[in-house]
Amino acid sequence: MELEDFLKFMKSGRPVQAGSEVHRRMLLLAREAQRLTSELNGSFHSPEKIQELMSRITGQPVDETFALFPPFYTDCGKNIHIGRHVFINCCCHFQDQGGIYIGDGTLIGSYVVLATINHGQNPAERGDNLPSSIHIGRNVWIGSHATILPGVTIGDNSIIAAGAVVTRDVPPGMIVAGVPAKPIKALQE
């Protein structure tokens, strides 16, 4: 299965059955991501080298304004889409098979988890993967140790408090906190 076909399938939101051709492609991409993130995380790199390695991980160029503090972890990489002036702090985990879209000016704190895969609830389907993309708007700040779950959209200029678990969409210009995350304040523009 070609990468483009895999990404198209994942964008469809259809379940990925355990052992299927799509599932086997997921595993191959995971191994490639492990190899590339090991290279990224294994030693010190200049900002330019980090940008080059992230471009290889994602399979598309990252902007020269992109910055990341390793280590960084992903189990696919090829379905991460990063805008301009994005900063990702250390120890983040991106499970991106379902698609992660990060808008311009977004700041992502350390130890943030972005998870785009769920599993079947029926025990007979537990090994199946259910992809659903995460969309992060422009100028969003995601605090350390936050977790964003599959299918969530975060509106422009919002803030996700440290440690929050975001299970629902966040409107633009809103601060959310807690487990599960709830709105606590609208930001003044």
Side-chain angles (χ1 to χ4, degrees):
M1 168 174 267
E2 296 297 320
L3 177 61
E4 192 171 306
D5 295 328
F6 170 80
L7 294 173
K8 184 177 179 182
F9 185 94
M10 297 309 281
K11 192 173 191 174
S12 77
R14 294 182 302 195
V16 177
Q17 292 183 325
S20 68
E21 180 183 11
V22 178
H23 190 251
R24 289 191 302 274
R25 181 65 167 155
M26 283 176 79
L27 296 175
L28 289 173
L29 288 169
R31 288 188 192 102
E32 180 183 357
Q34 289 170 352
R35 182 181 59 75
L36 290 169
T37 55
S38 291
E39 185 177 345
L40 173 68
N41 300 333
S43 65
F44 175 80
H45 300 290
S46 69
E48 296 79 17
K49 182 65 174 179
I50 289 172
Q51 292 165 357
E52 183 229 312
L53 287 166
M54 264 316 264
S55 294
R56 287 174 47 205
I57 288 167
T58 63
Q60 53 196 315
V62 297
D63 192 77
E64 65 185 14
T65 60
F66 171 78
L68 174 130
F69 289 171
F72 173 80
Y73 305 96
T74 181
D75 51 7
C76 179
K78 301 302 186 234
N79 212 358
I80 300 172
H81 311 274
I82 302 170
R84 296 175 42 79
H85 299 284
V86 169
F87 172 69
I88 301 172
N89 213 328
C90 65
C91 300
C92 289
H93 296 250
F94 287 14
Q95 181 193 48
D96 66 287
Q97 292 95 335
I100 295 173
Y101 300 85
I102 303 170
D104 295 346
T106 290
L107 306 173
I108 300 177
S110 58
Y111 292 92
V112 166
V113 174
L114 304 179
T116 67
I117 295 288
N118 220 330
H119 290 279
Q121 292 182 1
N122 180 329
E125 298 169 348
R126 193 71 40 86
D128 295 351
N129 292 275
L130 308 172
S132 189
S133 62
I134 292 172
H135 294 265
I136 300 169
R138 295 180 8 209
N139 302 312
V140 170
W141 174 21
I142 301 175
S144 297
H145 293 271
T147 299
I148 315 299
L149 295 181
V152 167
T153 295
I154 300 171
D156 293 347
N157 304 311
S158 291
I159 298 173
I160 310 303
V165 176
V166 183
T167 61
R168 296 186 184 141
D169 290 353
V170 176
M174 184 63 65
I175 300 174
V176 299
V179 179
K182 294 181 175 19
I184 60 170
K185 181 180 178 182
L187 295 166
Q188 304 280 335
E189 290 198 27

Coordinates of all heavy atoms in Angstrom, one line a residue, residues 32-71:
E32 N 9.6 3.0 10.8 CA 10.3 4.1 10.2 C 10.3 5.3 11.2 O 11.4 5.9 11.3 CB 9.7 4.5 8.9 CG 10.4 5.7 8.2 CD 9.8 6.1 6.9 OE1 8.8 5.6 6.5 OE2 10.3 7.1 6.4
A33 N 9.2 5.6 11.8 CA 9.1 6.7 12.8 C 10.1 6.4 13.9 O 10.7 7.4 14.4 CB 7.7 6.9 13.2
Q34 N 10.1 5.2 14.4 CA 11.0 4.9 15.5 C 12.5 5.1 15.1 O 13.3 5.7 15.9 CB 10.9 3.4 15.9 CG 9.6 3.1 16.6 CD 9.3 1.6 16.8 OE1 10.0 0.8 16.3 NE2 8.2 1.3 17.5
R35 N 12.8 4.7 13.9 CA 14.2 4.9 13.4 C 14.5 6.4 13.3 O 15.6 6.9 13.8 CB 14.4 4.3 12.0 CG 15.8 4.4 11.5 CD 15.9 3.7 10.1 NE 15.0 4.3 9.1 CZ 15.2 5.5 8.5 NH1 16.2 6.2 8.8 NH2 14.3 5.9 7.6
L36 N 13.6 7.2 12.8 CA 13.9 8.6 12.6 C 13.9 9.4 13.9 O 14.7 10.3 14.2 CB 12.9 9.2 11.6 CG 13.1 8.8 10.2 CD1 11.9 9.3 9.3 CD2 14.4 9.4 9.6
T37 N 12.9 9.0 14.8 CA 12.9 9.7 16.1 C 14.1 9.3 17.0 O 14.6 10.1 17.8 CB 11.6 9.5 16.9 OG1 11.4 8.1 17.0 CG2 10.4 10.2 16.2
S38 N 14.6 8.1 16.8 CA 15.9 7.7 17.5 C 17.0 8.6 17.0 O 17.9 9.0 17.8 CB 16.2 6.3 17.2 OG 15.3 5.4 17.9
E39 N 17.1 8.9 15.7 CA 18.1 9.8 15.2 C 17.9 11.2 15.8 O 18.9 11.8 16.2 CB 18.1 9.8 13.7 CG 19.2 10.6 13.1 CD 19.2 10.6 11.6 OE1 18.5 9.8 10.9 OE2 19.8 11.5 11.0
L40 N 16.7 11.7 15.8 CA 16.4 13.0 16.4 C 16.8 13.1 17.8 O 17.4 14.1 18.3 CB 14.9 13.3 16.2 CG 14.4 14.6 16.8 CD1 15.0 15.8 16.2 CD2 12.9 14.7 16.8
N41 N 16.4 12.1 18.6 CA 16.5 12.1 20.0 C 17.9 11.6 20.5 O 18.2 11.8 21.7 CB 15.4 11.2 20.7 CG 14.0 11.7 20.3 OD1 13.8 12.9 20.1 ND2 13.1 10.8 20.3
G42 N 18.7 11.1 19.7 CA 19.9 10.4 20.1 C 21.1 11.3 20.4 O 22.1 10.9 21.0
S43 N 21.1 12.5 19.9 CA 22.2 13.5 20.2 C 21.8 14.9 20.0 O 20.6 15.1 19.5 CB 23.4 13.1 19.3 OG 23.1 13.4 17.9
F44 N 22.7 15.8 20.3 CA 22.4 17.2 20.1 C 22.3 17.6 18.7 O 23.2 17.1 17.9 CB 23.4 18.1 20.8 CG 23.2 19.6 20.6 CD1 22.3 20.3 21.3 CD2 23.9 20.2 19.6 CE1 22.0 21.6 21.0 CE2 23.7 21.6 19.3 CZ 22.8 22.3 20.0
H45 N 21.4 18.4 18.3 CA 21.3 18.9 16.9 C 21.1 20.4 16.8 O 20.4 21.0 17.7 CB 20.1 18.2 16.1 CG 20.2 16.8 16.1 ND1 21.2 16.1 15.3 CD2 19.5 15.8 16.7 CE1 21.0 14.8 15.4 NE2 20.0 14.6 16.2
S46 N 21.5 21.1 15.8 CA 21.3 22.5 15.6 C 19.8 22.6 15.3 O 19.1 21.6 14.8 CB 22.1 23.0 14.4 OG 21.6 22.4 13.2
P47 N 19.2 23.8 15.4 CA 17.8 24.0 15.0 C 17.5 23.6 13.5 O 16.5 23.1 13.2 CB 17.6 25.5 15.2 CG 18.6 25.9 16.3 CD 19.8 25.0 16.0
E48 N 18.5 23.9 12.7 CA 18.3 23.6 11.3 C 18.3 22.1 11.1 O 17.5 21.5 10.2 CB 19.5 24.2 10.4 CG 19.5 25.7 10.4 CD 20.1 26.3 11.7 OE1 20.8 25.6 12.4 OE2 19.9 27.5 11.9
K49 N 19.1 21.3 11.8 CA 19.1 19.9 11.7 C 17.8 19.3 12.3 O 17.3 18.3 11.7 CB 20.3 19.3 12.4 CG 20.4 17.8 12.3 CD 20.7 17.3 10.9 CE 20.9 15.8 10.9 NZ 21.1 15.3 9.5
I50 N 17.3 19.9 13.3 CA 16.0 19.4 13.9 C 14.9 19.7 12.8 O 14.1 18.8 12.6 CB 15.7 20.2 15.2 CG1 16.6 19.7 16.3 CG2 14.2 20.0 15.6 CD1 16.6 20.4 17.6
Q51 N 14.9 20.8 12.2 CA 13.9 21.1 11.1 C 14.1 20.0 10.0 O 13.1 19.5 9.5 CB 14.1 22.5 10.6 CG 13.7 23.5 11.6 CD 14.2 24.9 11.2 OE1 14.9 25.1 10.2 NE2 13.9 25.9 12.0
E52 N 15.3 19.7 9.6 CA 15.5 18.7 8.6 C 15.0 17.3 9.0 O 14.3 16.7 8.2 CB 17.0 18.6 8.2 CG 17.3 17.7 7.1 CD 18.4 16.7 7.4 OE1 19.5 17.1 7.9 OE2 18.2 15.5 7.1
L53 N 15.3 16.9 10.2 CA 14.8 15.6 10.7 C 13.3 15.6 10.8 O 12.7 14.6 10.5 CB 15.5 15.3 12.0 CG 17.0 14.9 11.9 CD1 17.6 14.9 13.3 CD2 17.1 13.5 11.3
M54 N 12.7 16.7 11.3 CA 11.2 16.7 11.4 C 10.6 16.7 10.0 O 9.5 16.1 9.8 CB 10.7 18.0 12.1 CG 10.4 17.8 13.6 SD 9.5 16.4 14.1 CE 7.9 17.0 14.1
S55 N 11.2 17.3 9.0 CA 10.8 17.2 7.6 C 10.8 15.8 7.2 O 9.9 15.3 6.5 CB 11.6 18.1 6.7 OG 11.4 19.5 7.1
R56 N 11.8 15.0 7.5 CA 11.9 13.6 7.1 C 10.9 12.8 7.9 O 10.2 11.9 7.3 CB 13.3 13.1 7.4 CG 14.3 13.6 6.4 CD 15.7 13.2 6.7 NE 16.0 11.9 7.0 CZ 17.0 11.4 7.8 NH1 17.9 12.3 8.2 NH2 17.1 10.1 8.0
I57 N 10.6 13.1 9.2 CA 9.6 12.4 10.0 C 8.2 12.6 9.4 O 7.5 11.7 9.2 CB 9.7 12.8 11.4 CG1 11.0 12.3 12.1 CG2 8.5 12.4 12.2 CD1 11.3 12.9 13.4
T58 N 7.9 13.9 9.0 CA 6.6 14.2 8.6 C 6.4 13.9 7.1 O 5.3 13.8 6.6 CB 6.2 15.6 8.8 OG1 7.1 16.5 8.1 CG2 6.2 15.9 10.3
G59 N 7.5 13.8 6.3 CA 7.5 13.6 4.9 C 7.1 14.8 4.1 O 6.8 14.8 3.0
Q60 N 7.2 16.0 4.8 CA 7.0 17.3 4.1 C 7.8 18.3 4.8 O 8.1 18.2 6.0 CB 5.5 17.6 4.2 CG 4.9 17.6 5.6 CD 3.4 17.5 5.5 OE1 2.8 18.3 4.8 NE2 2.8 16.7 6.3
P61 N 8.1 19.4 4.1 CA 9.0 20.4 4.8 C 8.3 21.1 5.9 O 7.1 21.4 5.9 CB 9.2 21.4 3.6 CG 8.7 20.8 2.4 CD 7.8 19.7 2.7
V62 N 9.1 21.3 7.0 CA 8.6 22.2 8.1 C 9.2 23.6 7.8 O 10.3 23.7 7.3 CB 8.9 21.7 9.5 CG1 8.3 20.3 9.8 CG2 10.4 21.6 9.7
D63 N 8.5 24.6 8.3 CA 8.9 25.9 8.0 C 10.2 26.3 8.8 O 10.4 25.7 9.9 CB 7.8 26.9 8.4 CG 8.1 28.3 8.0 OD1 7.9 28.6 6.8 OD2 8.5 29.1 8.8
E64 N 11.0 27.2 8.3 CA 12.2 27.6 9.0 C 12.0 28.2 10.4 O 12.9 28.4 11.2 CB 13.0 28.5 8.1 CG 12.4 29.9 7.9 CD 13.1 30.8 6.9 OE1 14.0 30.3 6.2 OE2 12.8 31.9 6.8
T65 N 10.7 28.6 10.6 CA 10.3 29.2 11.9 C 10.0 28.1 12.9 O 9.7 28.4 14.1 CB 9.1 30.2 11.8 OG1 8.0 29.4 11.2 CG2 9.5 31.3 10.8
F66 N 9.9 26.9 12.5 CA 9.5 25.7 13.4 C 10.7 25.5 14.4 O 11.8 25.5 14.1 CB 9.3 24.5 12.6 CG 9.2 23.2 13.4 CD1 8.0 23.0 14.1 CD2 10.2 22.3 13.6 CE1 7.8 21.8 14.8 CE2 10.1 21.2 14.3 CZ 8.9 20.9 15.0
A67 N 10.3 25.2 15.7 CA 11.3 24.9 16.7 C 10.8 23.7 17.5 O 9.5 23.6 17.8 CB 11.6 26.1 17.6
L68 N 11.7 22.9 18.0 CA 11.3 21.7 18.8 C 12.5 21.4 19.7 O 13.6 21.5 19.4 CB 11.1 20.5 17.9 CG 10.9 19.2 18.6 CD1 9.6 18.5 18.0 CD2 12.1 18.2 18.4
F69 N 12.1 21.1 21.0 CA 13.1 20.6 21.9 C 12.9 19.1 22.1 O 11.9 18.7 22.6 CB 13.0 21.3 23.3 CG 13.3 22.7 23.4 CD1 13.0 23.5 24.5 CD2 14.0 23.4 22.4 CE1 13.4 24.8 24.6 CE2 14.3 24.7 22.4 CZ 14.0 25.4 23.6
P70 N 13.9 18.3 21.6 CA 13.8 16.9 21.8 C 13.9 16.5 23.2 O 14.4 17.3 24.0 CB 15.0 16.3 21.0 CG 15.3 17.4 20.0 CD 15.0 18.7 20.8
P71 N 13.5 15.3 23.6 CA 13.0 14.2 22.7 C 11.6 14.4 22.2 O 10.8 15.1 22.9 CB 13.2 12.9 23.5 CG 13.0 13.4 24.9 CD 13.6 14.8 25.0

